[in-house]
Amino acid sequence: MHGSLSAAWLLVALCAATGAYCLLRLRSGVEEQRRTAGGEALMGFGMALMAVPAAVLTPPRWAWLLYAVVFGGAALRALWASRRAPGHHLHHLVGTFAMAYMALAMTVRPEAHAHHGGAGAPLLTGLLLVYFTAYVLWTGARMVPQGASPGGTVWAGWGDRPELARACRLSMGIGMLAMLLTM
């Protein structure tokens, strides 16, 4: 991650908090929440690690290769899961692919991590930027309350709150945009 140190640390904190909440969702009573929570926790913590400022920690080339393998495996898992229920799994596929792509770009040109950009294919980076911009705008618009539900509010456990899950996905989308912009 390039740019100001304070912005980078805020991104690290945001992504780590998102990953932590996704771990909490693993205890949800709702099966769909549990099914997606593990992959989203991996994304949150992976993004937090990748966003650590280069001035503080410059990972060796093998670490970037390890990230690429882990997220490449997660992308294959998301591709396999998208056969049954394409909706969210396709977004997860794009996200894990983007993480693997950024890690591979850093494997090929690790000096770009410390010297402000130049890594990656501009066309692919641009396509990912367009996708995540559209995703952030669409998800943000869905966060706007539609009005009160009849019958009042029913308390759900922290892992069963769909609005918090959407907020986490929005946070990760914003984080992905920030990381892609600095490539």
Side-chain angles (χ1 to χ4, degrees):
M1 172 86 191
H2 314 294
S4 77
L5 282 177
S6 59
W9 283 118
L10 285 172
L11 183 59
V12 169
L14 177 71
C15 293
T18 298
Y21 176 70
C22 291
L23 284 179
L24 207 107
R25 286 180 37 225
L26 284 171
R27 298 179 52 192
S28 171
V30 180
E31 183 180 346
E32 183 60 27
Q33 291 277 4
R34 286 191 313 268
R35 196 173 319 161
T36 61
E40 290 174 353
L42 174 69
M43 288 290 292
F45 289 126
M47 288 173 66
L49 282 172
M50 289 178 86
V52 171
V56 175
L57 174 70
T58 302
R61 179 174 255 144
W62 63 264
W64 292 116
L65 187 57
L66 179 64
Y67 291 163
V69 168
V70 167
F71 286 105
L76 289 175
R77 184 176 183 278
L79 180 63
W80 184 259
S82 69
R83 294 175 314 110
R84 288 179 281 123
H88 176 69
H89 296 291
L90 287 178
H91 169 69
H92 191 68
L93 172 64
V94 173
T96 53
F97 170 78
M99 292 289 286
Y101 163 69
M102 287 188 290
L104 277 176
M106 299 315 294
T107 300
V108 174
R109 293 201 46 214
E111 68 277 359
H113 182 67
H115 295 103
H116 298 284
L123 178 62
L124 184 53
T125 302
L127 289 172
L128 289 169
L129 281 168
V130 167
Y131 172 81
F132 282 104
T133 299
Y135 179 79
V136 164
L137 292 173
W138 178 72
T139 304
R142 289 182 56 208
M143 295 293 294
V144 176
Q146 301 298 319
S149 62
T153 304
V154 177
W155 171 254
W158 283 106
D160 296 327
R161 307 283 303 263
E163 70 278 8
L164 289 178
R166 270 191 301 250
C168 284
R169 290 182 193 122
L170 177 63
S171 298
M172 285 192 286
I174 293 169
M176 192 67 76
L177 274 174
M179 290 170 62
L180 285 165
L181 282 170
T182 60
M183 278 190 67

